[in-house]
Structure formats: C-alpha cells, structure tokens
Amino acid sequence: MARKVQLRNGNEFFKGDTGRCFKCDIPSTSKNKRCWVLGVVIVSRRWSSYTAAPMAQHSSSTPQQRMRNFSIIAHIDHGKSTLADRLIEVTGALSERKMKKQVLDSMDLEQERGITIKAQTASLQYRAEDGETYTLNLIDTPGHVDFSYEVSRSLHACEGALLIVDATQGVEAQTLANVYLALEQDLEIIPIINKIDLPSADVEEAKRQIEEVIGLDASDAIAISAKTGVGIAETLEAIVKRIPPPKDEDDRPLRALIVDSWFDSYVGAVALLRIIDGALRQRDKIRLMSSGNSYEVNDIGVFSPQAEPRPVLQSGSVGFMICGIKELSALKVGDTVTLDRQPASETLPGFREPKPMVFSGLYPVDSADYSELRDSLEKLHLNDPAFTFEAESSMALGLGFRCGFLGMLHMEIVQERLEREFGLDLIGTAPSVVYQIHMNDGTMVEIANPSEFPDPITITHIEEPVVIANVFMPEEFVGAVIKLCQDRRGLQQDMKFIGQGRVMLSYQLPLAEMVIDFYDRLKSVSRGYASLDYELSGFQEEDVVKMDVLVHAESVDALSLIVHRSIAETRGRELVKKLRQLIPRQQFDIPLQAAVGARILARETVKAVRKNVTAKCYGGDISRKRKLLEKQKVGKKRMKSIGSVEVPQEAFLAVLKLGDGN
C-alpha cells in the first residue's frame, strides 16, 4: 500500500509512484497519474518528454515581434557547441544541476568527434535591455558537407545566423561553404570572433579575413570567449536588435517546414517544425504535401532544450510534432505540412529526396551474424532513412549488404554506430560512386557496382560525379597539395592568398578519386594543417572503364573496379602485385591478370610449389632423371587444366578494405 510522505516544500504525495510531472518534477499520485500541482496528466519519466498532455499553465503565447529564429555557422572546433552551451546557461533554460558540456549534442559519437549529426533546437527566454522578454529559437545544425541539404532546410527556418570564426585559426573551408548557404537564404549574418582568451588570438586579422575571403562587413563583429563567457551578453543583444522577427502569418493556411525528424521507440516518428504560415494545434488533422498522407496530431511543443508541450504553435514558432507515425521515411526533411481540411495551395520551395552518392559493401566478419546485421540495419534505418541497403553476396566475403550513403562522413558514422550500438564486427569494402551510363537506345542507367556494368558495345558514353573542393592551408604546403590534386585528375579553378601565410586552393575533382583516401593523404602532406570542404557540382563525361581481375583465367567479380582509362594500367599493376603476395602457392602456376575487356593490362604469376622428384637418383643415366621430370610435367599440366584456385579472404580484405592506399 502506498505511504503518504511530505516534501520539503510542504507538498504531499504517495510513496511508490512511478510517474513524475515533466514540468515541476513532482511525483504523481498512483490513482490518477495526474500532477496535483499543475493538473497535468503524466506517465513514466522516460515518456514524459513527449506524452504529457499540454495545458495552458505551461504555455505563454509570444507575439512574432518578440521572436528571433537563428542558427550558428562555424568550422569544426571553432566553438559552436560551446557558444550554444553559454547561451542556454545565461538565459537560464537549464539549471546548473542539469547543465553539461555540448548539451545539444545528444549522441556519444557527436560529443567524441566534436561534430553535429542531427539538428537540435532550443527555445530560450531572454529579458533584453529594453525590458521586454524575447523568445530566441536556436537551431543547431550539422556543419559537414554530407548534410548540406539538411543545413539548407535548417537555415530556411531562420531569419539570421551567427558566423563564428576562431580568432587563432581565421576563416576555414567549412565556414565558407555554410556562410554561402546562409547568404543564398538571404539571412542576416552576425560575425562573431571566438576564443579571444587565447594568447595567439588575432581579432583584427580574423576581421580582415571575413571581409576579404567572405565579403562581409566585419566592422561590427563581436569579440567573445564562449569558454569564459566574455561577450555573451553583447551577442544576445545583437540577436535581438539585428536579426529581424518572423512575419505574422497566423491568418493564412498552415504551411510548416520539416527541419529534421527522428524515431522514438515510445511515440514513433517525431518531426521538428518551423511554422511558416498559419498555426498548428493539438488534434488537428495534417497532410504531408509530398506524399498526400494525412495524420492526426497527438502532441506539439517546443524544446527548451527539454521537451515542453504547447497547445498551439503559431507562425514563426519552432517546435516538435508527434502524430504516432510508425515509419520515419514518411517525415521527409524539407517536406511541407499543411491542414487536411484547409490545405495550402503550394509547397515550400527547395524540397528534394535525399540521394546516396557513395556506396560500400558491409559484411559481418562472422557469417553467422548476417541476420543480426540485417536486423541492425533495419533498426538504424528507422532513425536515418537517408542511407539505403540491399542484400548482396560476395565469393569471398559471403552474404552482406550494399549500402548507399550521402558521403564519406555519413558512411563512417553509420559503420561506427553499427559497431558501437549493436556490437557488430564488420568488414567495409572499398567505397564507390554512382556513374550515369548512356546507352545506344537513348536510355540512361545509374550503377554503383562494377558487377552491374553493361557490355561496352551498348554504351555511347559514361558520366561520373565531380566536385568543387576548397582547400585552406599554410602556403608552405601549396606544392604538395597541388601535386596531390593533380595526381587525382584535378583541374585547378582558383588560388588565393588570404593573408597570415594562408592560401585557398579551389579544384575540380572526380568524386571517385576522393572517396578512397584523399582526406587522409591531404592531412598527411600538410601535416594536419589543411582543411577541406567540397560540394557536388554535377556529372561530367569521362573515359571510364571496368577493370576485371582474372585469377587462373577466371574473373573475380569482387575484385573488379571502375576506373579512368588513363590510370587503369597503373591501378591494375598495383592490384595484381599485391594479390601475388597474398594468394598461396599451389602445385601449378597461377596467372593473375588485370584486364579491360579482352586487353590484358598487367600480369603476375604465383609460381608452383615444386617437388624434387630426382632426389632419389644418386647417379646413373641422365635419361632416368629426364623420365621422372617428364612424368611430373604431365601431372602438373593435367592438374592445371582441372584445378581451381580459391582466393583467400585475406586477399579480398587487403585489396578492398576501406582506406586502402590504392
């Protein structure tokens, strides 16, 4: 039986209750699961973030004139998450007890790598110098090029952005890419010079680089230290004064932009929304305009940064929506949400389906883990519909999956999450890209696997994806970086000296040349000082061919590659030379050949193991020895004609393993 106890503040509750109010953290009564302080229906603590029914006591409608929606743009390790922590701390959104480092980065992987993978929001209440209380909606976005579409949708939900530049590093590659996305959205950009507390900080040089490299006026840039808290008050005032408020569009038909989405095992798919026009209320029936599917809204609210329900989300607001949707693929980033009974006439611009650009095979080290890998991929796909997978088999690696990713970082993240969250040991094959093959009959097919390559006679031409890469580095490494880019079939587009001994190089590079080990080689030749950012610029016609590897005159599909004709011979020689060291010797010679069509590019031979059949002859006529050797020769010839060679798994791993130097 429950025992009645009294809290320090005089409130009473029944001991043994499992639920707590999501707002005041007071335990509920066992009888009706209702917080008697606020009158809010609740459930267990882990559900409380989403399923608490919204009540008027928890919400206060903020007029659009006192709303500010903004994002933070920065290169890796320039202090974006630290500044977000200080803003949350100064505005009192979280108590000191609940505050932690990188509070908006919820995944362990994000905190360890110092990157943002999933967009997060925080609605902050700030009392400005003019005496008014403003709602500041911070949208923390991913910064890497792999997630550029998600970044563009997040920036579309803002009216302004904070551009952070490290006072010791200056403008870097990722800074440039993201600020251009913000300028395309016509956002108000506030330059912020961070890390002024470091001895090597040079604020004036950082301002000069912002003006010369980016082209923004940095005369009113704010110098801060997110670590010590210097300049945070000035930053908050600049957000209020310089970023325009959202427009009041409450009377128009509902149009809301899906900024991000994720899957919760208790409530289903959760959508992060920016209300552009109209208002969204609980129990409204909404329609997703890309698919036409309709759902009833179970709960809406905001993150502050913990989930708080609201009875209504008005135009200009940023919050979450729960409709009990079972599949995350229904909530596409960039889609438009409208009311089913009064739909909007047109969708919000910019929506497109995510398209994988890099493909790789994932195989379990132990073939018995295949079913477990399949289940793990299905679970991970619930939270990340941007990656695709389909079953495939390899002669050496067994059963596995061909997976498609947005880019190299996305591939690393998915593989690491599979190994960490599901405890799998995986083998990743060498990554490949999508090729567009134009056929004689006028059709166009896309392939990513060499085994799907059609007969060359039926092909008119082939196009491969190309990127524009921007590399920032100290000027002493310019020669080494230019040589690296030229070796990867790069075409130089631009070269700028940006001061303080730093250079910006722009190159057009084939994506296929970047996915293997370009980033590692770049860090190696620049001793870690170079930073890289790239964007897909389209497809370009190139002379690419399928290179087969023949082991004992039999083609091995798993070793086939799609390469440019100019480097096919070099790549083939390296490949068969490596295989010769890895394939064990047999009783007969094994020819290893790299071929394009019927033309052999390179050959190596694994020499036969030879038994000394004349060892027992201590003398006598030479014809006796010759007879034994002829008999051995006939046996080896017969063995070679009927024998087969099994390529060991180690050979495939050495050639195909991710990050291979070929």
Side-chain angles (χ1 to χ4, degrees):
M1 185 174 177
R3 180 169 57 88
K4 193 174 183 180
V5 298
Q6 193 169 24
L7 298 177
R8 292 181 182 177
N9 61 3
N11 294 327
E12 296 177 342
F13 74 102
F14 290 95
K15 187 74 172 176
D17 297 341
T18 57
R20 286 177 176 267
C21 175
F22 71 98
K23 182 68 176 175
C24 62
D25 209 34
I26 301 296
S28 68
T29 60
S30 301
K31 185 176 181 181
N32 58 12
K33 298 292 184 192
R34 183 177 292 273
C35 173
W36 35 261
V37 177
L38 296 173
V40 179
V41 179
I42 60 174
V43 286
S44 65
R45 178 180 289 276
R46 64 171 129 186
W47 282 61
S48 62
S49 295
Y50 299 114
T51 55
M55 295 292 173
Q57 292 94 326
H58 284 197
S59 67
S60 57
S61 180
T62 305
Q64 283 81 0
Q65 287 300 317
R66 287 194 273 117
M67 281 185 192
R68 300 293 185 270
N69 299 319
F70 70 99
S71 183
I72 302 177
I73 296 170
H75 188 75
I76 296 169
D77 204 32
H78 278 205
K80 180 170 72 169
S81 296
T82 309
L83 176 59
D85 290 350
R86 292 294 81 73
L87 294 176
I88 291 169
E89 189 175 29
V90 169
T91 55
L94 283 180
S95 63
E96 190 175 345
R97 177 175 62 88
K98 295 180 180 178
M99 198 65 198
K100 62 178 183 178
K101 285 186 178 180
Q102 294 175 261
V103 68
L104 292 181
D105 293 338
S106 55
M107 293 168 54
D108 292 340
L109 201 57
E110 290 179 310
Q111 297 184 5
E112 289 174 14
R113 287 190 173 217
I115 58 175
T116 301
I117 299 169
K118 297 292 287 181
Q120 301 285 341
T121 64
S123 291
L124 314 175
Q125 301 298 317
Y126 171 63
R127 189 172 182 83
E129 292 177 355
D130 60 8
E132 298 281 357
T133 300
Y134 292 84
T135 298
L136 311 181
N137 292 319
L138 164 61
I139 302 177
D140 187 28
T141 61
H144 197 271
V145 64
D146 287 3
F147 311 109
S148 60
Y149 172 65
E150 286 79 358
V151 175
S152 70
R153 295 302 85 205
S154 299
L155 293 175
H156 188 70
C158 302
E159 281 78 35
L162 304 182
L163 171 64
I164 301 182
V165 175
D166 190 330
T168 63
Q169 302 284 336
V171 173
E172 298 274 4
Q174 200 170 295
T175 314
L176 203 63
N178 288 336
V179 78
Y180 286 156
L181 282 175
L183 290 170
E184 286 175 11
Q185 304 286 349
D186 197 25
L187 302 187
E188 178 67 33
I189 298 177
I190 303 174
I192 306 286
I193 313 295
N194 192 20
K195 301 189 181 181
I196 61 171
D197 56 309
L198 296 180
S200 57
D202 190 342
V203 176
E204 293 305 317
E205 175 61 24
K207 286 183 179 181
R208 191 190 65 78
Q209 289 189 23
I210 290 174
E211 291 181 345
E212 291 191 7
V213 180
I214 300 175
L216 293 175
D217 180 16
S219 59
D220 53 357
I222 304 170
I224 70 164
S225 170
K227 183 179 179 181
T228 61
V230 175
I232 300 300
E234 291 85 345
T235 303
L236 287 166
E237 283 299 317
I239 292 170
V240 169
K241 293 175 181 176
R242 294 167 60 179
I243 294 179
K247 296 177 182 177
D248 184 353
E249 304 285 1
D250 287 350
D251 55 343
R252 301 187 63 180
L254 173 67
R255 287 198 306 171
L257 175 72
I258 298 180
V259 177
D260 202 357
S261 58
W262 62 92
F263 191 83
D264 185 273
S265 55
Y266 293 99
V267 298
V270 182
L272 197 60
L273 299 176
R274 157 69 197 269
I275 310 297
I276 305 295
D277 301 329
L280 180 65
R281 294 174 176 81
Q282 190 182 12
R283 302 306 171 195
D284 278 346
K285 192 171 184 181
I286 56 99
R287 181 191 301 174
L288 302 175
M289 295 188 74
S290 69
S291 63
N293 296 333
S294 299
Y295 304 94
E296 184 177 335
V297 178
N298 296 337
D299 281 296
I300 55 175
V302 299
F303 291 105
S304 62
Q306 293 180 333
E308 291 187 5
R310 293 282 189 268
V312 60
L313 292 177
Q314 65 204 73
S315 63
S317 300
V318 177
F320 66 85
M321 174 186 73
I322 300 169
C323 300
I325 300 173
K326 298 291 189 288
E327 293 183 356
L328 189 63
S329 56
L331 292 174
K332 298 181 174 71
V333 174
D335 198 0
T336 305
V337 177
T338 189
L339 291 178
D340 191 50
R341 56 181 169 79
Q342 190 185 359
S345 57
E346 58 182 19
T347 62
L348 294 166
F351 171 71
R352 62 179 171 85
E353 297 274 359
K355 185 179 180 182
M357 288 307 300
V358 176
F359 291 82
S360 176
L362 291 180
Y363 296 85
V365 172
D366 185 356
S367 58
D369 294 338
Y370 172 76
S371 58
E372 190 176 343
L373 173 59
R374 183 187 61 234
D375 295 341
S376 302
L377 285 169
E378 289 173 352
K379 290 176 183 175
L380 190 59
H381 191 261
L382 286 174
N383 252 329
D384 188 0
F387 92 90
T388 60
F389 65 94
E390 59 182 18
E392 73 168 3
S393 61
S394 167
M395 189 176 74
L397 304 178
L399 295 174
F401 293 90
R402 188 78 177 170
C403 301
F405 309 94
L406 298 174
M408 294 299 296
L409 178 69
H410 190 214
M411 180 174 69
E412 291 177 24
I413 289 167
V414 168
Q415 187 167 351
E416 193 162 339
R417 287 185 67 182
L418 286 169
E419 292 174 347
R420 180 180 300 198
E421 297 176 18
F422 301 99
L424 297 171
D425 291 325
L426 299 175
I427 300 165
T429 65
S432 61
V433 299
V434 177
Y435 293 90
Q436 293 183 349
I437 300 181
H438 295 261
M439 314 296 288
N440 290 336
D441 57 4
T443 59
M444 188 271 289
V445 294
E446 291 188 344
I447 68 159
N449 197 332
S451 62
E452 301 168 356
F453 202 87
D455 189 339
I457 300 174
T458 64
I459 299 172
T460 57
H461 66 276
I462 303 172
E463 295 181 352
E464 68 172 343
V466 293
V467 300
I468 299 296
N470 293 315
V471 185
F472 285 70
M473 80 216 87
E475 57 187 17
E476 61 193 274
F477 302 115
V478 169
V481 173
I482 287 178
K483 184 178 185 304
L484 173 65
C485 293
Q486 288 177 342
D487 290 343
R488 299 302 175 98
R489 298 191 286 127
L491 294 175
Q492 187 172 324
Q493 304 291 306
D494 195 11
M495 180 175 176
K496 289 181 182 176
F497 289 84
I498 58 177
Q500 215 177 25
R502 292 181 61 78
V503 178
M504 184 187 82
L505 271 177
S506 293
Y507 261 86
Q508 179 182 292
L509 288 161
L511 182 60
E513 297 291 337
M514 292 189 66
V515 296
I516 299 288
D517 65 343
F518 181 82
Y519 186 73
D520 294 336
R521 293 285 302 138
L522 178 66
K523 287 295 184 182
S524 177
V525 300
S526 66
R527 284 185 278 174
Y529 284 104
S531 64
L532 168 73
D533 188 81
Y534 63 90
E535 62 177 350
L536 189 69
S537 65
F539 285 77
Q540 182 173 296
E541 183 177 344
E542 291 287 351
D543 186 14
V544 295
V545 293
K546 177 188 177 185
M547 186 178 72
D548 293 307
V549 176
L550 285 72
V551 177
H552 194 46
E554 291 185 6
S555 177
V556 181
D557 280 347
L559 294 176
S560 298
L561 297 171
I562 298 176
V563 296
H564 195 270
R565 192 181 295 273
S566 63
I567 61 170
E569 188 170 336
T570 306
R571 191 71 56 90
R573 289 187 189 281
E574 293 174 351
L575 194 55
V576 294
K577 194 176 289 185
K578 180 175 285 190
L579 282 174
R580 184 171 67 86
Q581 300 168 358
L582 297 167
I583 292 179
R585 296 170 70 187
Q586 305 290 330
Q587 293 288 334
F588 51 90
D589 287 353
I590 304 171
L592 307 175
Q593 297 167 311
V596 173
R599 179 170 171 250
I600 304 299
L601 302 177
R603 170 176 172 140
E604 294 281 341
T605 304
V606 179
K607 300 303 289 183
V609 176
R610 181 176 176 274
K611 181 182 177 183
N612 188 3
V613 293
T614 61
K616 58 186 178 182
C617 300
Y618 291 103
D621 190 33
I622 188 66
S623 61
R624 178 165 172 78
K625 293 183 179 181
R626 197 172 288 140
K627 180 182 176 183
L628 291 171
L629 291 170
E630 287 295 327
K631 187 177 180 182
Q632 182 189 41
K633 185 178 179 181
V634 170
K636 283 191 177 293
K637 185 176 180 180
R638 181 171 177 271
M639 193 184 300
K640 186 174 182 178
S641 65
I642 65 172
S644 62
V645 179
E646 184 175 342
V647 182
Q649 189 169 350
E650 291 77 16
F652 285 90
L653 300 188
V655 175
L656 301 178
K657 194 173 181 183
L658 193 66
D660 185 70
N662 286 340

